[in-house]
Each structure stands twice: as C-alpha cells, then as structure tokens.
Amino acid sequence: MTMGKPLKSVTIVGGGTAGWLTAALLQAFGRKEQQGLKPLEITLIESPDIPTVGVGEATVPGMVRTLQNAGISERAFFRRCNASFKLGVSFDGWNVDKAGKPVSYINPFSKAPNINGVELAYYFNRFGAGGRDYLSSYAATVDMVKARKGPRAAGAKEYDKSMGFAYHLDAGKFAALLTEHCTAKGVKHIRENVLEVEKDDRGNIAALQLQESGRHQVELVIDCTGFRGMIINQALGEPFVSYSKYLANDRAMAVQVPHPDPAKIEPVTRSVALGAGWSWRVPLYNRIGTGYVFSSAHRTDEEAREEFLASLRATIGKIPDDAEPRVIPMRVGRNRNAWVKNCVAIGLSGGFIEPLESTAIYMIDMGVRWLLSYFPDSDFPDPLRDRYNRLVDNLYNEVRDFICLHYRLGNRTDTQYWIDARTELEVPDTLGENLELWRYNLVSHYDLPFTTLFDAGTYNAVLMGKRVYETGYARGDIGSGFLLDERLWGEIQAHLRKLNTERVKRAADHVALLNELRGEAAPQTAAPRAAAPAFQAAQATVPLPGFGPAQVPLGQGKRKLDPVDKENASLL
C-alpha cells in the first residue's frame, strides 16, 4: 500500500483577519525544512476589489497566546492596531430585577475560586455578598472598570498575565500588521481576482484561474472568502446550515465615533440591549467601534437605524453628522462540514454566530490549530478530515448554546422581540436539557462535555449576573447537598475585598498604560508585587487555545485623534 506524499504548499484564498491570521499561524507552526523536506510554501491570494467585513474588534483571552505564538510584539500590536485592554463584557439591560429595573453585569475573564472544593457560586447564591454583585464577591473587575484601570501595573513586561484580559483592536489595521509580518517571513502575497475554480476527477480543487497570472495549481486550499464562501459553497457545493431557528438576529449596522473624552477609555466591551437586539460598544485607543445587531423580523433597516442613533446620542452625547451606519447582512450558521475534499473553510466562509461573545477570531485560531494537528498528506485521509470536522462541529455547538442561553434566560417583556427570543425560538437539545437541570443545581463541568471556551464557571457567571435565581428560575433548594459555612464565607469575603482593593490600587490607569505600551509615555518601573496571598487571585475563565479550562484552588492628558476610518466599520 502506497502512502500519500507530504504536501508542499498551502493556498489561502481571501485576506482580512481570517486569511492573514491563518497565514501567520501556519507560518509559525507549519513545517520548516526537515528530513529532506522543504518548508511549507504558503501563498495568500487576495482580491484587490472585494472589501473585507472586518470581524473581530473585540477578542477573548486566547488572543494573548495567539500574538505570542505568531511572534508579534505586544507593543507593536498596541501601536499599530490602536488596541486597548478588555477585562470582560458588560451586559446592560438584558434582564430586569425583581423590581423591574434593568440589570447590568460583567461576564469576566476571571474564574471564581473554590471553597473547600465547593464552587464559590453556591456560597454567593445562599448568602449573598453584602449588596455586591456576584463578580465583585471574588474579583476586582467591576472596580477596575469603574476606575478605568488596565490589567497590570505601570512598567510591567509585555504580555504580563497577572490578571485575565483580552484586547480591543482595529480589524483593518490588524490585518495590515499581519500582512507585513507574514510577507516578511516568506508568505507569498498575490493581489488578483480568482476568475474560475478548477476541479480534478476526484472532485478536489486542482487549480485557480487568476485574472492576470493565469492558472495557479493548489494542493490544500483554505477558503477565507467571507460570507460568500467562494470555494467551499460555490465551487464544492457544501450546504450551509442556518441557525435562524435558534437565533433571530440576521442583520447588523456598524459605525465609528470619537471618544466623548479621549482621556477616559473603559477597559470593557459593552453589550446594550435595545428593542430588537443589542448594541455593541468597543473602545479603541483612538475611537469607539459600535453597532446594532438586530432582527429584520422586528425592525426595518430604517427603524433600526433611528433606534440605534438615538441610543448612541443618549449614551455618548453628540455624534458626528456624517456618522452613517453601514448595514451588514449576517449569514448566521455554519457549513455542514468545514473541511470538504482538499478545501478547509476558516472564518466567515466556514460560519458565523452573532458576535455577542467576541468569538470570531478565536474560532479562526482554533480552526488553524486543529488543521495543523490533523494535517493531511496528498491522499487527504478521511479519518483526519472526519476528526477535524467533528471538532469544528463541537466548537460551533458550544458557542451556539452559550449565545442562546443569553436570550432564553432573558426576562424582558417590553418589546415583542424579547418575548419572542424567550418563547418562540427553538432551544438546542443540548442546552434545553441543561436549562431544566440548572433549575435545581448550578452549572457543573459534568454538564458540558465539550468546553474549549465557555466552561461551567462562565455559565455560572451569566446565571448569577442575570439574577435568575432571584427572579423565580429555581425549582429546588440550590446547593442543599453541600455544607456551606456562613462564617467561613464572611472571612473569605473580607480577605478577597482587601486583596482586590490592593489590586485596583496597583493597576495603572488604562489610558496611561496604553500610552506607555505605544511608546508615547516614559516607561515606569513596576510597583513591587505583594507576597502571594493565602487565596489565589482570580484567573482567566477562558482557556488559552489548545488548553483545557484553568483550575483555581483556594486554601492622562489630551492627544490627537486619528481620522475615523469609515470604510472599516467592523462587526464585533
């Protein structure tokens, strides 16, 4: 039996964040010269005429590892991409409390510690925290956001991880940085239109007919052509599986506006509930990226536009007269298979789930890592393709279920949209079973068989943040099987309050920290770190790509604004 030959090349079709991040990770981890084999040749073909959607202005903590793996300096990243820090997502007005008042909470990048082997959430649910919310019962995040602090002290080293964080970034500038980085390391960049896609007698993609260069032969082709799926859908005919029965939002509008006060930048993404969806707000160094994700069944584009602009004026004040939102139709769902024949779809061409939890770049990252783990030879063995597709399927289901959770456990009744989101949309079977279980018990890692991103602690942060157990969701005595010591809880709360107060004091002002990282302020010496506490500080909730969930034991001044780039209004 003959074995397949090692592949010599990979061709990526499509640029933007998806294409260039794929190239960067393939270049970083792909085959170098070894055992007589030449390095893997990477070619990226990008149309000069087709604009990118620009996904991913907000990220998750795995982005830190992504940049490090790609060999990109954090300081260069902040300077080139107008990046800022993100300590979590603030959900504003998605639920109401017992008095009918809107609730706000932060879904954080910190994991609650256990208390003698028991999830802290059980203690909070039983005893409360003296008027503080769930997150504030163990982490400094809420106070850090209010004080507009960054996640580290002044003078800290690049990629300091003393506190869980992610980034906000300018998607267009990030793609440009990746382009420069990749081409300098040998990635071949072709700026031409693909006119035709040629298949061989096995149905594999054999070549691409380029407008000027002619026939470009391919071995493995990665489709990063966005929603149109030029190769995976159009050439190979792979069906698209819509998620419209689970998620109502199918359109978005995006715009960029200046900061009301450039010296005050929040280190948090905001998701503000509106009448037929939600509005994101991503504060970059030089501007705010914002938009409205909504359901066309509940708002026309014009109605959504008027509602969105009114909301903007109410929250940030006067907006520029030329701030005209760009409407983006969303293809919500995923391909039946991400890998078909010799083509792998990554990014929007593979699928898209509304950007509520900033998962777009993370899913690109994981798609590339898994491809490298199950990299084929010239035979393209079925077992490799099947396992890859199973992993991608699991990831989409994981993200879909977590997004659906936010809507199903909403309790607003002021518009038909929110009523329909709770009562008319289907619930995936995997989530539906758990929603019944969680009426009697908090979320356990045993309930979630596949977790690369949203673990039990993240689910509990949402349940507690929405205050579902205070508003009638429970059907049993939550945590009745545990011995919960109220005196011990009080001692731990006092200790964590002291610990977190010190953490806020040590952290640098967000804007000052950004100026330092950009090289626009003199670097400072980091303040001495306190001795390790008896209780470990909260760690990142979202695991790094390729790693399982983390386990946590317990025992200023004015500056010139860059011009707003109206051609790169990005989805969150």
Side-chain angles (χ1 to χ4, degrees):
M1 180 178 178
T2 59
M3 296 179 61
K5 298 178 180 180
L7 298 183
K8 299 178 181 178
S9 65
V10 177
T11 300
I12 303 165
V13 182
T17 302
W20 286 109
L21 184 55
T22 297
L25 292 175
L26 287 176
Q27 194 283 325
F29 291 112
R31 186 184 70 230
K32 306 299 186 285
E33 189 163 0
Q34 59 186 26
Q35 298 178 342
L37 295 175
K38 292 183 178 180
L40 196 65
E41 296 178 6
I42 304 169
T43 301
L44 188 145
I45 302 171
E46 183 176 22
S47 170
D49 302 323
I50 301 174
T52 59
V53 172
V55 300
E57 289 217 330
T59 64
V60 296
M63 188 66 180
V64 179
R65 174 62 62 96
T66 301
L67 294 176
Q68 288 181 301
N69 288 164
I72 295 174
S73 158
E74 190 183 35
R75 292 180 181 275
F77 167 72
F78 271 95
R79 184 174 62 254
R80 293 284 301 276
C81 302
N82 285 322
S84 66
F85 283 107
K86 172 183 174 182
L87 303 184
V89 182
S90 180
F91 288 86
D92 302 336
W94 280 68
N95 282 62
V96 296
D97 63 14
K98 290 184 292 186
K101 296 180 179 179
V103 169
S104 291
Y105 70 95
I106 294 177
N107 188 15
F109 299 143
S110 56
K111 182 176 176 64
N114 294 332
I115 301 174
N116 292 336
V118 179
E119 288 280 350
L120 180 144
Y122 281 105
Y123 279 85
F124 177 85
N125 189 60
R126 177 67 59 84
F127 303 121
R132 290 173 295 120
D133 67 3
Y134 172 67
L135 178 56
S136 298
S137 73
Y138 70 89
T141 309
V142 173
D143 290 334
M144 297 276 281
V145 170
K146 288 179 179 178
R148 296 185 178 87
K149 292 293 189 80
R152 61 183 72 152
K157 295 180 180 179
E158 280 197 351
Y159 295 117
D160 179 274
K161 300 184 184 71
S162 55
M163 180 177 184
F165 66 91
Y167 306 109
H168 303 122
L169 57 88
D170 183 311
K173 293 183 183 298
F174 182 53
L177 173 62
L178 290 174
T179 302
E180 181 181 306
H181 176 80
C182 291
T183 53
K185 290 182 174 292
V187 174
K188 185 178 181 181
H189 185 198
I190 299 175
R191 289 182 59 81
E192 291 189 46
N193 290 311
V194 176
L195 302 181
E196 294 181 19
V197 179
E198 176 187 328
K199 293 190 286 186
D200 63 19
D201 54 5
R202 295 186 300 168
N204 286 341
I205 305 300
L208 305 170
Q209 190 67 29
L210 304 184
Q211 188 170 18
E212 297 177 11
S213 304
R215 190 175 187 271
H216 176 87
Q217 188 172 346
V218 303
E219 291 184 294
L220 172 63
V221 59
I222 300 179
D223 187 343
C224 296
T225 61
F227 284 134
R228 62 196 177 109
M230 184 181 71
I231 299 174
I232 192 79
N233 299 125
Q234 295 179 18
L236 292 175
E238 184 64 12
F240 182 79
V241 180
S242 173
Y243 282 176
S244 59
K245 64 182 180 180
Y246 304 121
L247 295 164
N249 297 334
D250 57 358
R251 293 179 79 74
M253 53 181 58
V255 73
Q256 300 170 6
V257 296
H259 285 291
D261 184 348
K264 297 178 180 179
I265 300 178
E266 286 190 314
V268 70
T269 302
R270 289 198 177 271
S271 171
V272 182
L274 297 181
W278 55 275
S279 171
W280 75 81
R281 193 158 79 232
V282 177
L284 303 185
Y285 180 78
N286 64 317
R287 61 166 171 82
I288 296 172
T290 183
Y292 186 10
V293 175
F294 64 98
S295 163
S296 63
H298 297 83
R299 291 285 190 276
T300 65
D301 286 355
E302 185 57 31
E303 289 170 340
R305 176 186 176 278
E306 292 302 317
E307 181 183 16
F308 171 51
L309 292 178
S311 172
L312 269 185
R313 295 186 185 99
T315 53
I316 68 172
K318 181 178 174 56
I319 59 176
D321 294 336
D322 61 348
E324 184 58 38
R326 177 167 66 103
V327 177
I328 305 168
M330 299 192 307
R331 186 180 76 154
V332 179
R334 39 77 61 86
N335 292 321
R336 182 181 60 186
N337 290 298
W339 182 348
V340 179
K341 299 293 185 179
N342 65 331
C343 173
V344 178
I346 289 179
L348 296 179
S349 59
F352 180 71
I353 301 176
E354 66 176 76
L356 186 60
E357 289 286 352
S358 312
T359 52
I361 290 180
Y362 176 84
M363 297 177 84
I364 294 168
D365 181 291
M366 294 306 296
V368 181
R369 290 176 189 269
W370 287 333
L371 177 59
L372 286 162
S373 295
Y374 299 98
F375 199 76
D377 57 28
S378 60
D379 286 340
F380 291 92
D382 289 339
L384 295 175
R385 184 188 296 114
D386 292 344
R387 180 52 54 89
Y388 181 90
N389 283 331
R390 185 188 306 174
L391 286 169
V392 173
D393 178 68
N394 287 339
L395 178 58
Y396 272 94
N397 290 341
E398 178 188 359
V399 175
R400 178 202 63 195
D401 285 6
F402 190 65
I403 299 301
C404 288
L405 173 83
H406 291 73
Y407 294 99
R408 194 65 177 186
L409 292 185
N411 63 353
R412 288 181 52 158
T413 58
D414 55 318
T415 70
Q416 192 60 45
Y417 169 85
W418 290 102
I419 296 171
D420 290 346
R422 185 173 62 256
T423 63
E424 298 300 319
L425 293 175
E426 290 188 27
V427 177
D429 292 341
T430 47
L431 177 61
E433 180 181 339
N434 277 330
L435 287 174
E436 286 304 309
L437 173 66
W438 297 334
R439 291 181 181 275
Y440 303 90
N441 203 55
L442 298 185
V443 185
S444 163
H445 69 274
Y446 299 114
D447 305 337
L448 306 168
F450 186 87
T451 55
T452 68
L453 190 58
F454 303 120
D455 64 7
T458 312
Y459 271 85
N460 280 326
V462 173
L463 296 180
M464 294 298 169
K466 284 177 168 288
R467 305 186 190 181
V468 297
Y469 296 113
E470 299 176 22
T471 52
Y473 185 64
R475 293 289 183 270
D477 184 4
I478 304 294
S480 60
F482 293 118
L483 173 63
L484 302 177
D485 186 332
E486 187 171 8
R487 180 192 58 78
L488 175 62
W489 172 243
E491 292 175 355
I492 290 173
Q493 282 297 286
H495 181 87
L496 290 175
R497 279 198 298 273
K498 181 179 179 181
L499 197 70
N500 289 328
T501 297
E502 289 301 315
R503 163 163 278 177
V504 175
K505 288 180 180 178
R506 290 197 305 270
D509 173 78
H510 188 206
V511 171
L513 185 57
L514 297 181
N515 285 332
E516 178 187 316
L517 286 164
R518 291 168 61 93
E520 298 175 8
Q524 300 181 41
T525 302
R529 189 170 294 180
F535 304 107
Q536 289 191 0
Q539 297 180 7
T541 300
V542 182
L544 297 173
F547 294 82
Q551 296 298 318
V552 184
L554 182 75
Q556 307 246 353
K558 296 183 179 180
R559 51 189 170 76
K560 184 178 180 180
L561 291 176
D562 290 348
V564 173
D565 179 6
K566 299 179 179 62
E567 297 304 317
N568 188 41
S570 303
L571 284 173
L572 178 63

